Amino acid sequence: AMEEVCAKFVSQKISKTRWRPLPAAALRAPDVFATGSWDNEDNRISIWSVGDLGHVGLGGEYQGEPQLLCDIRHNGDVMDMQFLDQERIVVASSTGTVTVFRHHQNNHTLSANHRWEKAHSHLDQDSSCGGAACTGVICNKPEIVTVGEDGRINLFRADQKDAVRTIDNADSSTLHAVTFLRTTEILTVNSIGQLKIWDFRQQKNEPAQIFSLTGGRVPLHCVDRHPNQQYIVATGGQDGMLSIWDIRQGTVPVSLLNAHEAEMWEVHFHPSNPDHLFTCSEDGSLWHWDTSTDLSEKPSFLHQGARSTTYVPHNTINQSVVSAWLSNDPTKDRMEITNLIPNQTLSVNSLDVLGPCLVYGTDAEAIYVNRQLFA
């Protein structure tokens, strides 16, 4: 049902979309998201409100569109972007700089709160020849980890001027993305198909473990960790394949699933309902993967009331649902895959899911919001 999706044309290519996190006890649907742009003369970080989108017209169609609350110029392409908390957003730039922007909610303005210039850079023998793109950022407040084209890993703290830890030649190839496994461990993916675990408790600048795709050296572009089962990890790369890994065993993926026809740019487990996973691609598609074991007996994670949405706490999600990701071929065990945008032609660069809501951004200079993912 396409009418649940509302589009906003923004006259800039959107590289990243992120929901603002909800306060821990909040039971409402998310209502504010941020976007970052790329490949424009003048790139911007923008904050949008979808507060009024809930009104349904007489024909059942959604009314209104996202409203721009505020925006600010950003130097370079926005390569990645994560909320540190409800007010601060950490942005990775193609110039190598990492900036923390603050959203002042009282008067709806954005300001640069802190900046790590050239957190990533290509070093010459004799001179610094300029920035290297910062390709990925992940936050676990107050910690911020960044990775880049220069193969460097930085660990920052939101309130500190200098890096807490830098691993300079962590990788000889480009690091494309990073995620936290637990508070002291991160996982990176690189341009030669490797996944590496780094333990910040260890002084040595070597990965604790290395995993790699079998066969080719297919660049990996994105990674996400299962929210409840830290050892289950999903990655996507240049060939559009979805790989599921169990980092407790072996050094190769548990399953490789044929997915998109071009690069997969992002992969996200649903944070509170992780038997659902979402991927988006250069080929213009956005897929919803559903491994609920028996779709007829699907637990109602989201009670679609008039305006209220209830979330089931993590521990009620049963093990059998989770293990569907670890079977040799999850598709045989009952998996529904839906392309949420059947006839899009330009790249879908980014997506984010929270509660019943999906936001995604495209090279067609548009952002899209779906507020009824599980309707």
Side-chain angles (χ1 to χ4, degrees):
M2 292 304 290
E3 63 277 5
E4 294 145 16
V5 177
C6 83
K8 172 87 178 174
F9 292 92
V10 293
S11 68
Q12 38 184 358
K13 293 182 184 174
I14 297 297
S15 58
K16 291 292 157 182
T17 56
R18 298 288 180 250
W19 287 112
R20 181 175 76 188
L22 289 167
L27 289 177
R28 56 188 167 81
D31 54 354
V32 171
F33 65 89
T35 60
S37 69
W38 80 289
D39 196 27
N40 306 292
E41 297 260 308
D42 183 21
N43 289 305
R44 306 193 83 75
I45 306 295
S46 309
I47 307 277
W48 307 84
S49 163
V50 291
D52 295 331
L53 291 187
H55 299 311
V56 177
L58 294 172
E61 78 286 357
Y62 266 179
Q63 295 179 323
E65 55 178 27
Q67 299 297 313
L68 179 66
L69 295 178
C70 50
D71 64 353
I72 192 170
R73 199 168 171 277
H74 178 265
N75 195 12
D77 291 341
V78 173
M79 303 293 289
D80 199 4
M81 182 167 76
Q82 300 289 341
F83 275 90
L84 178 69
D85 52 30
Q86 307 224 264
E87 296 192 331
R88 289 176 293 176
I89 311 167
V90 185
V91 181
S93 171
S94 57
T95 64
T97 295
V98 177
T99 311
V100 183
F101 289 97
R102 186 180 286 275
H103 173 212
H104 307 274
Q105 296 178 32
N106 49 357
N107 62 356
H108 286 305
T109 55
L110 271 166
S111 64
N113 189 230
H114 189 79
R115 200 173 261 126
W116 291 285
E117 298 281 350
K118 296 224 170 97
H120 296 273
S121 62
H122 294 297
L123 292 174
D124 258 293
Q125 268 59 42
D126 42 20
S127 70
S128 161
C129 70
C134 176
T135 50
V137 60
I138 193 78
C139 301
N140 186 13
K141 188 180 172 185
E143 260 89 32
I144 297 165
V145 175
T146 70
V147 296
E149 235 168 46
D150 54 357
R152 174 187 291 173
I153 298 172
N154 291 307
L155 172 62
F156 296 112
R157 277 211 184 91
D159 40 15
Q160 291 180 20
K161 192 161 69 72
D162 298 317
V164 178
R165 173 95 181 261
T166 295
I167 304 178
D168 255 328
N169 298 306
D171 213 299
S172 54
S173 62
T174 295
L175 289 169
H176 279 144
V178 58
T179 191
F180 273 99
L181 279 182
R182 43 181 72 85
T183 46
T184 54
E185 282 183 338
I186 58 160
L187 194 127
T188 58
V189 296
N190 69 12
S191 59
I192 57 169
Q194 293 173 324
L195 215 119
K196 297 181 183 179
I197 297 178
W198 306 82
D199 186 342
F200 285 127
R201 290 167 304 191
Q202 296 180 1
Q203 286 314 297
K204 63 182 203 318
N205 291 339
E206 302 288 320
Q209 251 179 304
I210 300 180
F211 304 80
S212 51
L213 287 173
T214 34
R217 291 150 69 91
V218 177
L220 290 172
H221 289 300
C222 54
V223 59
D224 197 27
R225 188 208 79 201
H226 191 289
N228 313 328
Q229 314 287 316
Q230 266 94 336
Y231 48 85
I232 300 178
V233 171
T235 63
Q238 193 78 31
D239 56 3
M241 298 276 280
L242 172 66
S243 308
I244 306 292
W245 311 69
D246 179 347
I247 59 175
R248 299 168 305 179
Q249 52 190 24
T251 55
V252 296
V254 182
S255 54
L256 285 167
L257 300 166
N258 274 316
H260 303 278
E261 279 154 37
E263 293 90 343
M264 184 189 295
W265 292 131
E266 290 205 325
V267 55
H268 288 295
F269 284 102
H270 191 286
S272 54
N273 191 357
D275 46 338
H276 296 266
L277 178 127
F278 298 83
T279 58
C280 64
S281 167
E282 179 71 29
D283 68 11
S285 60
L286 191 159
W287 286 14
H288 172 189
W289 307 69
D290 177 359
T291 62
S292 309
T293 32
D294 183 358
L295 298 166
S296 60
E297 295 171 27
K298 221 189 311 193
S300 159
F301 284 94
L302 301 162
H303 308 291
Q304 291 288 345
R307 295 295 291 271
S308 64
T309 308
T310 324
Y311 300 95
V312 172
H314 290 311
N315 55 10
T316 58
I317 293 169
N318 67 38
Q319 295 305 113
S320 64
V321 168
V322 170
S323 59
W325 287 116
L326 293 185
S327 71
N328 291 350
D329 182 3
T331 46
K332 281 201 192 72
D333 279 2
R334 201 65 202 267
M335 182 188 298
E336 276 202 329
I337 303 167
T338 316
N339 181 6
L340 297 182
I341 24 181
N343 39 24
Q344 152 91 11
T345 51
L346 293 173
S347 178
V348 182
N349 297 321
S350 182
L351 72 96
D352 197 22
V353 280
L354 189 58
C357 302
L358 163 73
V359 60
Y360 57 95
T362 70
D363 273 354
E365 305 196 339
I367 43 183
Y368 298 85
V369 177
N370 178 343
R371 308 250 291 179
Q372 291 192 314
L373 262 187
F374 300 102

